[in-house]
């Protein structure tokens, strides 16, 4: 009995459930032209001797060059190199235009900023159906702590370690939050992150809102009371009271005009930079605990949350209107 034919589309979808990194494989044509493509078929083969493999579609424009190439370089892309992946996934053309290249073994074109790089000599080429499998002996490699770019289910993704995290606990009473409730996690994380900074803020006689206003003034340099009110999400009265208090403390000064604008005084800059340094030190603490890869994943997800769920909120990083 013959087996039913495999549906190509669902086969591809099933393969996509295997999360991979993303690489760019480069080499040089006989005439010296740099050639490369994006590939996620990369895998390790042997430790002794050190060997890796990847496969190339027989329809790829770069096939004639790789078939002849004695050497190739594998670049494991870092999480912030998605544009490089897209660039090298286009077929043909000069994919290397305006890229700063390093030169590797046999003048291999090497890209910078990657998570890892392997320079190889082609050992074997195997038939692999509509692909050709290249096995290479690794002659040189270098690697960094950079977070890798991940490819999963046809999309770019990030890796984050689970770190032996136990199951989130449920509340004993029905109807209350569980330990993994997003709102709880965000506010608890914020509370824990800022505790030491807040202590310094309060020791200086400032309120949390006062510190926020100082930080905003480092971004905006001069703010009208109206802007202060909308960026701080406060009522007109609360914003006016805050501006007056901060003025009395000598941290901000008012420049008359229509409308008047507030800016940091020299003392205001000193205090703000001191507190911002404390915040940055806190960030370094988190980095130490979570590591580069997970910190990158955490920041990326928070950035998505802020951008995708805050359309009605003022954009603090927008250029101020003149
Ligand atoms: C994430 C990703 C992974 C890919 N992996 C491979 C691969 O392993 N082998 C392959 O032949 N093509 C792969 N491709 C497709 C090639 O990058 C694409 O066909 C490219 O245009 C080939 O370049 P060329 O025609 O200039 O040789 C991948 C594309 C993406 C976006």
């Amino acid at each position: 009995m013959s087996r039913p034919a495999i549906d190509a589309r669902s086969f591809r979808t099933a393969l996509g459930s295997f999360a991979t990194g993303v690489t760019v494989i480069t080499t040089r044509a006989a005439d010296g032209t740099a050639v490369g493509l994006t590939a996620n078929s990369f895998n390790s083969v042997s430790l002794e001797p050190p060997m890796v493999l990847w496969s190339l579609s027989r329809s790829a424009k770069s096939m004639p060059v790789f078939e002849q190439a004695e050497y190739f370089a594998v670049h494991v892309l870092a999480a912030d190199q998605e544009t490089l992946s897209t660039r090298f996934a286009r077929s043909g053309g000069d994919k290397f235009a305006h890229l700063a290249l390093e030169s590797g073994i046999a003048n291999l074109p090497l890209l910078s900023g990657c998570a890892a790089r392997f320079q190889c000599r082609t050992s074997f080429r195997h038939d692999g159906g509509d692909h050709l499998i290249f096995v290479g002996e690794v002659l040189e490699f270098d690697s960094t702590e950079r977070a890798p770019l991940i490819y999963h289910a046809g999309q770019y993704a990030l890796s984050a370690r689970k770190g032996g995290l136990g199951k989130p606990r449920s509340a004993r009473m029905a109807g209350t939050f569980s330990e993994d409730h997003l709102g709880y996690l965000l506010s608890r994380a914020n509370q824990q992150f800022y505790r030491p900074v807040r202590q310094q803020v309060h020791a200086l006689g400032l309120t949390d809102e006062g510190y926020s206003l100082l930080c905003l003034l480092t971004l905006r340099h001069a703010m009208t009371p109206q802007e202060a009110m909308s960026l701080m999400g406060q009522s007109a009265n609360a914003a006016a009271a805050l501006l007056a208090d901060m003025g009395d403390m000598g941290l901000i000064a008012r420049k008359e005009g229509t409308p008047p604008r507030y800016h940091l005084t020299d003392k205001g800059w000193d205090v703000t930079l001191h507190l911002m340094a404390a915040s940055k030190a806190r960030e370094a603490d988190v980095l130490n605990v979570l590591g580069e890869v997970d910190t990158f994943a955490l920041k990326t997800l928070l950035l998505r949350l802020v951008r995708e769920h805050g359309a009605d909120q003022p954009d603090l990083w927008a250029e101020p209107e003149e």
Side-chain angles (χ1 to χ4, degrees):
M1 205 174 78
S2 64
R3 258 188 242 132
I6 282 189
D7 174 60
R9 191 202 264 254
S10 38
F11 179 50
R12 194 187 267 262
T13 306
L15 289 175
S17 67
F18 184 60
T20 66
V22 181
T23 72
V24 167
I25 319 252
T26 62
T27 192
R28 279 209 191 266
D31 67 358
T33 313
V35 170
L37 83 155
T38 301
N40 68 340
S41 52
F42 171 73
N43 221 320
S44 55
V45 175
S46 156
L47 291 177
E48 191 49 55
M51 292 175 112
V52 296
L53 67 74
W54 65 286
S55 61
L56 177 61
S57 166
R58 291 194 186 272
S59 63
K61 289 215 169 102
S62 55
M63 176 58 92
V65 176
F66 278 105
E67 260 185 317
Q68 297 298 320
E70 195 180 346
Y71 300 95
F72 61 84
V74 180
H75 305 79
V76 178
L77 297 189
D80 60 357
Q81 291 183 308
E82 194 180 315
T83 48
L84 217 49
S85 172
T86 313
R87 176 194 273 244
F88 279 89
R90 285 191 207 113
S91 189
D94 181 9
K95 306 181 193 178
F96 293 82
H98 312 301
L99 286 183
L101 294 178
E102 294 167 51
S103 176
I105 293 170
N107 200 22
L108 276 174
L110 296 184
L111 308 169
S112 312
C114 305
R117 299 187 297 198
F118 302 91
Q119 297 182 56
C120 311
R121 182 193 291 124
T122 310
S123 305
F124 309 104
R125 296 180 192 91
H126 294 291
D127 177 39
D130 58 9
H131 280 59
L132 191 65
I133 302 165
F134 290 81
V135 179
E137 180 180 359
V138 178
L139 304 178
E140 274 187 34
F141 74 94
D142 54 79
S143 67
T144 68
E145 295 273 291
R146 289 197 181 99
L149 182 62
I150 304 291
Y151 198 66
H152 177 230
Q155 296 204 27
Y156 294 107
L158 298 167
S159 77
R161 277 169 288 234
K162 290 186 76 181
L165 194 67
K167 234 179 132 192
R169 290 161 296 182
S170 303
R172 266 168 279 130
M173 283 182 302
T176 48
F177 294 132
S178 62
E179 202 183 9
D180 64 346
H181 175 67
L182 185 59
Y184 159 74
L185 288 173
L186 287 172
S187 70
R188 175 74 186 247
N190 175 286
Q191 214 178 67
Q192 285 182 204
F193 181 88
Y194 269 117
R195 187 176 297 141
V197 181
R198 223 171 247 137
Q199 279 166 357
Q200 296 196 41
V201 167
H202 296 167
L204 287 164
L206 281 166
T207 57
D208 293 353
E209 289 76 23
Y211 176 46
S212 299
L213 180 72
L214 293 179
C215 291
L216 274 176
L217 280 168
T218 65
L219 288 173
R220 292 299 170 118
H221 288 238
M223 247 174 5
T224 65
Q226 185 66 32
E227 283 168 339
M229 181 182 111
S230 103
L231 293 173
M232 300 276 303
Q234 286 185 319
S235 69
N237 283 347
L242 182 63
L243 289 167
D245 278 354
M246 303 289 280
D248 290 346
M249 292 174 78
L251 298 172
I252 62 172
R254 179 181 156 117
K255 191 167 174 228
E256 292 310 330
T258 1
R261 287 177 191 272
Y262 288 85
H263 60 89
L264 290 170
T265 58
D266 287 347
K267 181 181 171 193
W269 272 108
D270 282 350
V271 167
T272 313
L273 294 180
H274 169 75
L275 292 172
M276 286 171 93
S279 275
K280 296 222 166 120
R282 217 38 207 136
E283 185 173 1
D285 292 343
V286 170
L287 197 87
N288 271 336
V289 174
L290 295 184
E292 294 270 355
V293 175
D294 292 354
T295 305
F296 187 91
L298 177 66
K299 283 188 181 187
T300 307
L301 291 177
L302 288 173
L303 197 60
R304 264 189 69 194
L305 189 70
V306 167
R307 289 203 180 145
E308 291 175 18
H309 287 265
D312 56 337
Q313 297 290 309
D315 178 0
L316 305 183
W317 267 258
E319 287 295 320
E321 284 166 29
E322 286 309 313

